[in-house]
Amino acid sequence: RTLTSHTDIMASPLGAAQLSGLDEEELQKLYTWVDDIPLSRPKRNITRDFSDGVLMAEVVKHFFPKIVDLHNYSASNSVAQKQYTWTTLQQKVFRRINFVVSQQDVDDVVNCVPGAVERVLKQFEAKVAKYHARKLADARREALGAGAGASSGIRDHDDSPGVRHY
């Protein structure tokens, strides 16, 4: 099932667009972006589906496969376990890619506050776009011969994922 074809993604009468700070068009683009990522569970209600952190770990792994060990993340229903999973993501994964999710956003995602996961996913989507743009620019510089002093790929930029790129 795709997110873009379901009204059950809107967990509030106000709608996820209003609560996430995104307009309807941005929200649909975000849902399409998530739909294009292979995930282990079907997406039924994005607010609940991402609350345990497992699907977020899978999203990050899709773009940065070397920094996420999915065995560290298991599906859960308890708020305490969800908090633990998000804390693990913060400490082991997000820190390595300089991606910051506020504690308030983590609490909101864990507690299934409508619009919270969309905010976090939109921030991550922007992080990925910035990272890919930088990689493309680095590759162009290298192709033009300006690569002599180019990046080694190890955390020399503020948005570097902290891993080598081959």
Side-chain angles (χ1 to χ4, degrees):
R1 293 171 65 171
T2 62
L3 291 173
T4 54
S5 65
H6 298 287
T7 56
D8 60 350
I9 55 177
M10 306 299 182
S12 161
L14 296 173
Q18 186 177 356
L19 296 169
S20 64
L22 303 173
D23 65 32
E24 282 296 326
E25 185 178 333
E26 291 174 314
L27 200 57
Q28 288 307 313
K29 284 181 182 177
L30 180 66
Y31 291 151
T32 300
W33 180 76
V34 172
D35 282 340
D36 290 340
I37 300 168
L39 299 174
S40 64
R41 299 189 305 232
K43 297 169 294 288
R44 294 190 178 106
N45 180 315
I46 193 167
T47 302
R48 283 195 312 262
D49 296 337
F50 277 80
S51 67
D52 66 7
V54 174
L55 293 185
M56 187 66 195
E58 292 179 17
V59 167
V60 176
K61 184 168 183 71
H62 179 74
F63 294 101
F64 303 102
K66 294 180 181 179
I67 66 168
V68 178
D69 293 322
L70 290 178
H71 69 272
N72 288 329
Y73 310 98
S74 57
S76 60
N77 291 319
S78 80
V79 170
Q81 184 60 41
K82 291 176 183 183
Q83 284 282 357
Y84 175 79
T85 299
W86 278 92
T87 299
T88 302
L89 275 171
Q90 294 266 49
Q91 293 172 347
K92 294 186 178 226
V93 177
F94 295 165
R95 180 178 291 166
R96 292 184 66 189
I97 58 175
N98 294 320
F99 180 62
V100 178
V101 178
S102 71
Q103 188 58 50
Q104 183 63 55
D105 278 340
V106 169
D107 292 344
D108 288 350
V109 170
V110 164
N111 290 300
C112 300
V113 172
V117 74
E118 288 88 350
R119 279 193 311 273
V120 172
L121 286 168
K122 185 64 180 173
Q123 291 167 0
F124 185 73
E125 179 188 34
K127 171 62 111 178
V128 169
K130 185 177 179 184
Y131 170 73
H132 283 299
R134 198 200 80 226
K135 266 185 77 172
L136 183 61
D138 287 350
R140 284 183 182 154
R141 272 196 304 278
E142 214 170 287
L144 293 173
S151 165
S152 67
I154 302 178
R155 239 183 183 176
D156 57 348
H157 292 288
D158 194 33
D159 62 348
S160 171
V163 295
R164 289 193 184 273
H165 305 285
Y166 302 96

